[in-house]
PDB file of all heavy atoms in Angstrom:
ATOM      1  N   GLU D   1      98.526 102.991  97.765  1.00 83.00           N
ATOM      2  CA  GLU D   1      98.450 102.118  96.596  1.00 83.00           C
ATOM      3  C   GLU D   1      98.070 100.701  96.999  1.00 83.00           C
ATOM      4  O   GLU D   1      97.289 100.036  96.313  1.00 83.00           O
ATOM      5  CB  GLU D   1      99.799 102.114  95.870  1.00 83.00           C
ATOM      6  CG  GLU D   1     100.093 103.415  95.132  1.00 83.00           C
ATOM      7  CD  GLU D   1     101.535 103.518  94.664  1.00 83.00           C
ATOM      8  OE1 GLU D   1     102.386 102.721  95.143  1.00 83.00           O
ATOM      9  OE2 GLU D   1     101.816 104.398  93.830  1.00 83.00           O
ATOM     10  N   LEU D   2      98.616 100.233  98.129  1.00 86.00           N
ATOM     11  CA  LEU D   2      98.286  98.888  98.592  1.00 86.00           C
ATOM     12  C   LEU D   2      96.837  98.807  99.064  1.00 86.00           C
ATOM     13  O   LEU D   2      96.145  97.817  98.819  1.00 86.00           O
ATOM     14  CB  LEU D   2      99.240  98.475  99.717  1.00 86.00           C
ATOM     15  CG  LEU D   2      99.112  97.039 100.229  1.00 86.00           C
ATOM     16  CD1 LEU D   2      99.199  96.036  99.086  1.00 86.00           C
ATOM     17  CD2 LEU D   2     100.178  96.747 101.277  1.00 86.00           C
ATOM     18  N   VAL D   3      96.371  99.844  99.732  1.00 86.00           N
ATOM     19  CA  VAL D   3      94.960  99.900 100.155  1.00 86.00           C
ATOM     20  C   VAL D   3      94.041  99.793  98.950  1.00 86.00           C
ATOM     21  O   VAL D   3      93.072  99.022  98.944  1.00 86.00           O
ATOM     22  CB  VAL D   3      94.684 101.208 100.940  1.00 86.00           C
ATOM     23  CG1 VAL D   3      93.186 101.440 101.090  1.00 86.00           C
ATOM     24  CG2 VAL D   3      95.345 101.159 102.313  1.00 86.00           C
ATOM     25  N   ASP D   4      94.341 100.555  97.903  1.00 88.00           N
ATOM     26  CA  ASP D   4      93.508 100.547  96.698  1.00 88.00           C
ATOM     27  C   ASP D   4      93.569  99.205  95.974  1.00 88.00           C
ATOM     28  O   ASP D   4      92.552  98.686  95.497  1.00 88.00           O
ATOM     29  CB  ASP D   4      93.941 101.665  95.749  1.00 88.00           C
ATOM     30  CG  ASP D   4      93.625 103.044  96.292  1.00 88.00           C
ATOM     31  OD1 ASP D   4      92.777 103.136  97.203  1.00 88.00           O
ATOM     32  OD2 ASP D   4      94.233 104.029  95.825  1.00 88.00           O
ATOM     33  N   ALA D   5      94.763  98.636  95.868  1.00 90.00           N
ATOM     34  CA  ALA D   5      94.931  97.397  95.109  1.00 90.00           C
ATOM     35  C   ALA D   5      94.357  96.190  95.836  1.00 90.00           C
ATOM     36  O   ALA D   5      93.805  95.276  95.214  1.00 90.00           O
ATOM     37  CB  ALA D   5      96.419  97.162  94.811  1.00 90.00           C
ATOM     38  N   ALA D   6      94.478  96.178  97.168  1.00 89.00           N
ATOM     39  CA  ALA D   6      94.035  95.017  97.941  1.00 89.00           C
ATOM     40  C   ALA D   6      92.602  95.164  98.451  1.00 89.00           C
ATOM     41  O   ALA D   6      92.014  94.189  98.925  1.00 89.00           O
ATOM     42  CB  ALA D   6      94.984  94.784  99.128  1.00 89.00           C
ATOM     43  N   HIS D   7      92.056  96.381  98.363  1.00 89.00           N
ATOM     44  CA  HIS D   7      90.711  96.659  98.910  1.00 89.00           C
ATOM     45  C   HIS D   7      90.663  96.282 100.392  1.00 89.00           C
ATOM     46  O   HIS D   7      89.730  95.635 100.867  1.00 89.00           O
ATOM     47  CB  HIS D   7      89.633  95.902  98.125  1.00 89.00           C
ATOM     48  CG  HIS D   7      89.640  96.191  96.662  1.00 89.00           C
ATOM     49  ND1 HIS D   7      89.268  97.410  96.130  1.00 89.00           N
ATOM     50  CD2 HIS D   7      90.028  95.423  95.608  1.00 89.00           C
ATOM     51  CE1 HIS D   7      89.389  97.386  94.814  1.00 89.00           C
ATOM     52  NE2 HIS D   7      89.857  96.192  94.471  1.00 89.00           N
ATOM     53  N   VAL D   8      91.708  96.696 101.096  1.00 86.00           N
ATOM     54  CA  VAL D   8      91.835  96.456 102.534  1.00 86.00           C
ATOM     55  C   VAL D   8      91.990  97.803 103.217  1.00 86.00           C
ATOM     56  O   VAL D   8      92.651  98.702 102.688  1.00 86.00           O
ATOM     57  CB  VAL D   8      93.067  95.556 102.828  1.00 86.00           C
ATOM     58  CG1 VAL D   8      93.301  95.433 104.323  1.00 86.00           C
ATOM     59  CG2 VAL D   8      92.868  94.174 102.224  1.00 86.00           C
ATOM     60  N   ALA D   9      91.374  97.956 104.386  1.00 84.00           N
ATOM     61  CA  ALA D   9      91.431  99.230 105.093  1.00 84.00           C
ATOM     62  C   ALA D   9      92.865  99.588 105.462  1.00 84.00           C
ATOM     63  O   ALA D   9      93.679  98.723 105.782  1.00 84.00           O
ATOM     64  CB  ALA D   9      90.572  99.162 106.358  1.00 84.00           C
ATOM     65  N   ARG D  10      93.163 100.875 105.434  1.00 79.00           N
ATOM     66  CA  ARG D  10      94.509 101.347 105.768  1.00 79.00           C
ATOM     67  C   ARG D  10      94.927 100.893 107.166  1.00 79.00           C
ATOM     68  O   ARG D  10      96.069 100.499 107.379  1.00 79.00           O
ATOM     69  CB  ARG D  10      94.553 102.876 105.673  1.00 79.00           C
ATOM     70  CG  ARG D  10      95.953 103.458 105.822  1.00 79.00           C
ATOM     71  CD  ARG D  10      95.905 104.990 105.760  1.00 79.00           C
ATOM     72  NE  ARG D  10      97.238 105.569 105.902  1.00 79.00           N
ATOM     73  CZ  ARG D  10      98.044 105.851 104.899  1.00 79.00           C
ATOM     74  NH1 ARG D  10      97.665 105.583 103.676  1.00 79.00           N
ATOM     75  NH2 ARG D  10      99.232 106.387 105.111  1.00 79.00           N
ATOM     76  N   ILE D  11      93.980 100.948 108.123  1.00 79.00           N
ATOM     77  CA  ILE D  11      94.316 100.552 109.493  1.00 79.00           C
ATOM     78  C   ILE D  11      94.680  99.072 109.556  1.00 79.00           C
ATOM     79  O   ILE D  11      95.514  98.647 110.361  1.00 79.00           O
ATOM     80  CB  ILE D  11      93.139 100.873 110.463  1.00 79.00           C
ATOM     81  CG1 ILE D  11      93.541 100.605 111.909  1.00 79.00           C
ATOM     82  CG2 ILE D  11      91.910 100.044 110.094  1.00 79.00           C
ATOM     83  CD1 ILE D  11      94.690 101.451 112.406  1.00 79.00           C
ATOM     84  N   THR D  12      94.067  98.254 108.682  1.00 83.00           N
ATOM     85  CA  THR D  12      94.394  96.827 108.653  1.00 83.00           C
ATOM     86  C   THR D  12      95.799  96.607 108.108  1.00 83.00           C
ATOM     87  O   THR D  12      96.545  95.766 108.612  1.00 83.00           O
ATOM     88  CB  THR D  12      93.364  96.065 107.801  1.00 83.00           C
ATOM     89  OG1 THR D  12      92.056  96.336 108.299  1.00 83.00           O
ATOM     90  CG2 THR D  12      93.614  94.564 107.850  1.00 83.00           C
ATOM     91  N   ILE D  13      96.158  97.375 107.060  1.00 81.00           N
ATOM     92  CA  ILE D  13      97.522  97.302 106.534  1.00 81.00           C
ATOM     93  C   ILE D  13      98.509  97.670 107.633  1.00 81.00           C
ATOM     94  O   ILE D  13      99.542  97.016 107.825  1.00 81.00           O
ATOM     95  CB  ILE D  13      97.712  98.244 105.331  1.00 81.00           C
ATOM     96  CG1 ILE D  13      96.742  97.888 104.195  1.00 81.00           C
ATOM     97  CG2 ILE D  13      99.161  98.222 104.853  1.00 81.00           C
ATOM     98  CD1 ILE D  13      97.024  96.582 103.513  1.00 81.00           C
ATOM     99  N   ARG D  14      98.210  98.716 108.384  1.00 75.00           N
ATOM    100  CA  ARG D  14      99.116  99.136 109.457  1.00 75.00           C
ATOM    101  C   ARG D  14      99.187  98.083 110.559  1.00 75.00           C
ATOM    102  O   ARG D  14     100.255  97.829 111.119  1.00 75.00           O
ATOM    103  CB  ARG D  14      98.666 100.480 110.044  1.00 75.00           C
ATOM    104  CG  ARG D  14      99.625 100.964 111.115  1.00 75.00           C
ATOM    105  CD  ARG D  14      99.501 102.433 111.386  1.00 75.00           C
ATOM    106  NE  ARG D  14      99.769 103.252 110.217  1.00 75.00           N
ATOM    107  CZ  ARG D  14     100.966 103.429 109.696  1.00 75.00           C
ATOM    108  NH1 ARG D  14     102.009 102.809 110.209  1.00 75.00           N
ATOM    109  NH2 ARG D  14     101.131 104.186 108.646  1.00 75.00           N
ATOM    110  N   ARG D  15      98.047  97.463 110.875  1.00 74.00           N
ATOM    111  CA  ARG D  15      98.063  96.396 111.883  1.00 74.00           C
ATOM    112  C   ARG D  15      98.997  95.277 111.446  1.00 74.00           C
ATOM    113  O   ARG D  15      99.780  94.757 112.229  1.00 74.00           O
ATOM    114  CB  ARG D  15      96.650  95.825 112.081  1.00 74.00           C
ATOM    115  CG  ARG D  15      95.704  96.679 112.903  1.00 74.00           C
ATOM    116  CD  ARG D  15      94.354  95.976 113.015  1.00 74.00           C
ATOM    117  NE  ARG D  15      94.509  94.663 113.614  1.00 74.00           N
ATOM    118  CZ  ARG D  15      93.722  93.620 113.348  1.00 74.00           C
ATOM    119  NH1 ARG D  15      92.745  93.727 112.464  1.00 74.00           N
ATOM    120  NH2 ARG D  15      93.930  92.470 113.942  1.00 74.00           N
ATOM    121  N   PHE D  16      98.899  94.929 110.171  1.00 78.00           N
ATOM    122  CA  PHE D  16      99.740  93.854 109.632  1.00 78.00           C
ATOM    123  C   PHE D  16     101.220  94.210 109.749  1.00 78.00           C
ATOM    124  O   PHE D  16     102.035  93.426 110.220  1.00 78.00           O
ATOM    125  CB  PHE D  16      99.350  93.593 108.179  1.00 78.00           C
ATOM    126  CG  PHE D  16     100.271  92.642 107.456  1.00 78.00           C
ATOM    127  CD1 PHE D  16     100.237  91.291 107.732  1.00 78.00           C
ATOM    128  CD2 PHE D  16     101.180  93.107 106.530  1.00 78.00           C
ATOM    129  CE1 PHE D  16     101.092  90.409 107.081  1.00 78.00           C
ATOM    130  CE2 PHE D  16     102.032  92.243 105.876  1.00 78.00           C
ATOM    131  CZ  PHE D  16     101.993  90.882 106.155  1.00 78.00           C
ATOM    132  N   LEU D  17     101.580  95.426 109.317  1.00 71.00           N
ATOM    133  CA  LEU D  17     102.978  95.840 109.344  1.00 71.00           C
ATOM    134  C   LEU D  17     103.482  96.068 110.761  1.00 71.00           C
ATOM    135  O   LEU D  17     104.687  96.037 111.006  1.00 71.00           O
ATOM    136  CB  LEU D  17     103.169  97.107 108.508  1.00 71.00           C
ATOM    137  CG  LEU D  17     103.030  96.923 106.999  1.00 71.00           C
ATOM    138  CD1 LEU D  17     103.056  98.265 106.291  1.00 71.00           C
ATOM    139  CD2 LEU D  17     104.128  96.023 106.465  1.00 71.00           C
ATOM    140  N   SER D  18     102.565  96.303 111.705  1.00 64.00           N
ATOM    141  CA  SER D  18     102.963  96.492 113.096  1.00 64.00           C
ATOM    142  C   SER D  18     103.133  95.170 113.838  1.00 64.00           C
ATOM    143  O   SER D  18     103.497  95.154 115.003  1.00 64.00           O
ATOM    144  CB  SER D  18     101.921  97.351 113.830  1.00 64.00           C
ATOM    145  OG  SER D  18     101.838  98.624 113.261  1.00 64.00           O
ATOM    146  N   GLY D  19     102.818  94.062 113.153  1.00 65.00           N
ATOM    147  CA  GLY D  19     103.024  92.763 113.783  1.00 65.00           C
ATOM    148  C   GLY D  19     101.776  92.184 114.418  1.00 65.00           C
ATOM    149  O   GLY D  19     101.838  91.159 115.099  1.00 65.00           O
ATOM    150  N   GLU D  20     100.608  92.832 114.233  1.00 70.00           N
ATOM    151  CA  GLU D  20      99.370  92.274 114.772  1.00 70.00           C
ATOM    152  C   GLU D  20      98.833  91.220 113.810  1.00 70.00           C
ATOM    153  O   GLU D  20      99.191  91.178 112.635  1.00 70.00           O
ATOM    154  CB  GLU D  20      98.341  93.389 114.977  1.00 70.00           C
ATOM    155  CG  GLU D  20      98.802  94.460 115.956  1.00 70.00           C
ATOM    156  CD  GLU D  20      97.760  95.550 116.122  1.00 70.00           C
ATOM    157  OE1 GLU D  20      96.556  95.220 116.141  1.00 70.00           O
ATOM    158  OE2 GLU D  20      98.149  96.727 116.200  1.00 70.00           O
ATOM    159  N   LYS D  21      97.954  90.360 114.323  1.00 74.00           N
ATOM    160  CA  LYS D  21      97.396  89.302 113.495  1.00 74.00           C
ATOM    161  C   LYS D  21      96.253  89.830 112.625  1.00 74.00           C
ATOM    162  O   LYS D  21      95.509  90.724 113.027  1.00 74.00           O
ATOM    163  CB  LYS D  21      96.905  88.151 114.370  1.00 74.00           C
ATOM    164  CG  LYS D  21      98.039  87.427 115.092  1.00 74.00           C
ATOM    165  CD  LYS D  21      97.531  86.200 115.820  1.00 74.00           C
ATOM    166  CE  LYS D  21      98.701  85.415 116.419  1.00 74.00           C
ATOM    167  NZ  LYS D  21      98.252  84.153 117.058  1.00 74.00           N
ATOM    168  N   VAL D  22      96.142  89.282 111.429  1.00 78.00           N
ATOM    169  CA  VAL D  22      95.070  89.651 110.512  1.00 78.00           C
ATOM    170  C   VAL D  22      94.478  88.382 109.917  1.00 78.00           C
ATOM    171  O   VAL D  22      95.045  87.304 110.017  1.00 78.00           O
ATOM    172  CB  VAL D  22      95.583  90.575 109.381  1.00 78.00           C
ATOM    173  CG1 VAL D  22      96.028  91.906 109.935  1.00 78.00           C
ATOM    174  CG2 VAL D  22      96.733  89.919 108.620  1.00 78.00           C
ATOM    175  N   SER D  23      93.311  88.510 109.284  1.00 81.00           N
ATOM    176  CA  SER D  23      92.590  87.341 108.809  1.00 81.00           C
ATOM    177  C   SER D  23      93.211  86.739 107.560  1.00 81.00           C
ATOM    178  O   SER D  23      93.992  87.376 106.847  1.00 81.00           O
ATOM    179  CB  SER D  23      91.130  87.710 108.513  1.00 81.00           C
ATOM    180  OG  SER D  23      91.064  88.515 107.353  1.00 81.00           O
ATOM    181  N   GLU D  24      92.818  85.493 107.291  1.00 82.00           N
ATOM    182  CA  GLU D  24      93.298  84.794 106.094  1.00 82.00           C
ATOM    183  C   GLU D  24      92.903  85.549 104.835  1.00 82.00           C
ATOM    184  O   GLU D  24      93.686  85.674 103.888  1.00 82.00           O
ATOM    185  CB  GLU D  24      92.718  83.375 106.068  1.00 82.00           C
ATOM    186  CG  GLU D  24      93.141  82.563 104.860  1.00 82.00           C
ATOM    187  CD  GLU D  24      92.538  81.165 104.882  1.00 82.00           C
ATOM    188  OE1 GLU D  24      92.270  80.644 105.981  1.00 82.00           O
ATOM    189  OE2 GLU D  24      92.340  80.603 103.809  1.00 82.00           O
ATOM    190  N   GLY D  25      91.672  86.060 104.807  1.00 85.00           N
ATOM    191  CA  GLY D  25      91.214  86.802 103.635  1.00 85.00           C
ATOM    192  C   GLY D  25      92.058  88.042 103.383  1.00 85.00           C
ATOM    193  O   GLY D  25      92.346  88.393 102.237  1.00 85.00           O
ATOM    194  N   THR D  26      92.460  88.709 104.473  1.00 86.00           N
ATOM    195  CA  THR D  26      93.310  89.888 104.342  1.00 86.00           C
ATOM    196  C   THR D  26      94.665  89.517 103.762  1.00 86.00           C
ATOM    197  O   THR D  26      95.185  90.188 102.864  1.00 86.00           O
ATOM    198  CB  THR D  26      93.496  90.562 105.710  1.00 86.00           C
ATOM    199  OG1 THR D  26      92.227  91.065 106.161  1.00 86.00           O
ATOM    200  CG2 THR D  26      94.490  91.712 105.626  1.00 86.00           C
ATOM    201  N   ILE D  27      95.243  88.428 104.268  1.00 86.00           N
ATOM    202  CA  ILE D  27      96.545  87.980 103.768  1.00 86.00           C
ATOM    203  C   ILE D  27      96.463  87.666 102.278  1.00 86.00           C
ATOM    204  O   ILE D  27      97.335  88.046 101.488  1.00 86.00           O
ATOM    205  CB  ILE D  27      97.022  86.729 104.535  1.00 86.00           C
ATOM    206  CG1 ILE D  27      97.311  87.079 105.993  1.00 86.00           C
ATOM    207  CG2 ILE D  27      98.257  86.128 103.880  1.00 86.00           C
ATOM    208  CD1 ILE D  27      98.413  88.072 106.189  1.00 86.00           C
ATOM    209  N   GLU D  28      95.414  86.959 101.867  1.00 87.00           N
ATOM    210  CA  GLU D  28      95.269  86.611 100.453  1.00 87.00           C
ATOM    211  C   GLU D  28      95.119  87.861  99.591  1.00 87.00           C
ATOM    212  O   GLU D  28      95.670  87.940  98.493  1.00 87.00           O
ATOM    213  CB  GLU D  28      94.067  85.681 100.269  1.00 87.00           C
ATOM    214  CG  GLU D  28      94.321  84.273 100.832  1.00 87.00           C
ATOM    215  CD  GLU D  28      93.135  83.348 100.651  1.00 87.00           C
ATOM    216  OE1 GLU D  28      91.986  83.851 100.722  1.00 87.00           O
ATOM    217  OE2 GLU D  28      93.340  82.142 100.440  1.00 87.00           O
ATOM    218  N   ALA D  29      94.381  88.864 100.098  1.00 90.00           N
ATOM    219  CA  ALA D  29      94.175  90.096  99.329  1.00 90.00           C
ATOM    220  C   ALA D  29      95.478  90.874  99.178  1.00 90.00           C
ATOM    221  O   ALA D  29      95.787  91.395  98.099  1.00 90.00           O
ATOM    222  CB  ALA D  29      93.122  90.966 100.018  1.00 90.00           C
ATOM    223  N   ILE D  30      96.259  90.961 100.259  1.00 89.00           N
ATOM    224  CA  ILE D  30      97.531  91.687 100.207  1.00 89.00           C
ATOM    225  C   ILE D  30      98.501  90.970  99.270  1.00 89.00           C
ATOM    226  O   ILE D  30      99.167  91.595  98.440  1.00 89.00           O
ATOM    227  CB  ILE D  30      98.135  91.816 101.621  1.00 89.00           C
ATOM    228  CG1 ILE D  30      97.264  92.732 102.485  1.00 89.00           C
ATOM    229  CG2 ILE D  30      99.560  92.348 101.557  1.00 89.00           C
ATOM    230  CD1 ILE D  30      97.695  92.809 103.934  1.00 89.00           C
ATOM    231  N   ALA D  31      98.575  89.642  99.403  1.00 87.00           N
ATOM    232  CA  ALA D  31      99.496  88.872  98.559  1.00 87.00           C
ATOM    233  C   ALA D  31      99.117  89.005  97.082  1.00 87.00           C
ATOM    234  O   ALA D  31      99.990  89.172  96.220  1.00 87.00           O
ATOM    235  CB  ALA D  31      99.488  87.404  98.982  1.00 87.00           C
ATOM    236  N   LYS D  32      97.828  88.960  96.793  1.00 89.00           N
ATOM    237  CA  LYS D  32      97.383  89.083  95.394  1.00 89.00           C
ATOM    238  C   LYS D  32      97.760  90.452  94.841  1.00 89.00           C
ATOM    239  O   LYS D  32      98.211  90.569  93.691  1.00 89.00           O
ATOM    240  CB  LYS D  32      95.870  88.864  95.311  1.00 89.00           C
ATOM    241  CG  LYS D  32      95.331  88.917  93.886  1.00 89.00           C
ATOM    242  CD  LYS D  32      93.821  88.640  93.857  1.00 89.00           C
ATOM    243  CE  LYS D  32      93.286  88.703  92.428  1.00 89.00           C
ATOM    244  NZ  LYS D  32      91.829  88.467  92.377  1.00 89.00           N
ATOM    245  N   ALA D  33      97.574  91.495  95.648  1.00 90.00           N
ATOM    246  CA  ALA D  33      97.905  92.847  95.194  1.00 90.00           C
ATOM    247  C   ALA D  33      99.397  92.997  94.921  1.00 90.00           C
ATOM    248  O   ALA D  33      99.807  93.705  94.003  1.00 90.00           O
ATOM    249  CB  ALA D  33      97.453  93.871  96.235  1.00 90.00           C
ATOM    250  N   LEU D  34     100.208  92.296  95.709  1.00 86.00           N
ATOM    251  CA  LEU D  34     101.661  92.382  95.556  1.00 86.00           C
ATOM    252  C   LEU D  34     102.202  91.376  94.535  1.00 86.00           C
ATOM    253  O   LEU D  34     103.401  91.352  94.271  1.00 86.00           O
ATOM    254  CB  LEU D  34     102.342  92.146  96.905  1.00 86.00           C
ATOM    255  CG  LEU D  34     102.066  93.195  97.991  1.00 86.00           C
ATOM    256  CD1 LEU D  34     102.665  92.766  99.309  1.00 86.00           C
ATOM    257  CD2 LEU D  34     102.618  94.546  97.582  1.00 86.00           C
TER     258      LEU D  34
END
């Protein structure tokens, strides 16, 4: 659901939740979806 709402790749979501760094655009997309 988060992948669909944020239009972010599943692997990027997992990278984020695993504690890896992600881009500003990714953060904004995830926050907007949530």
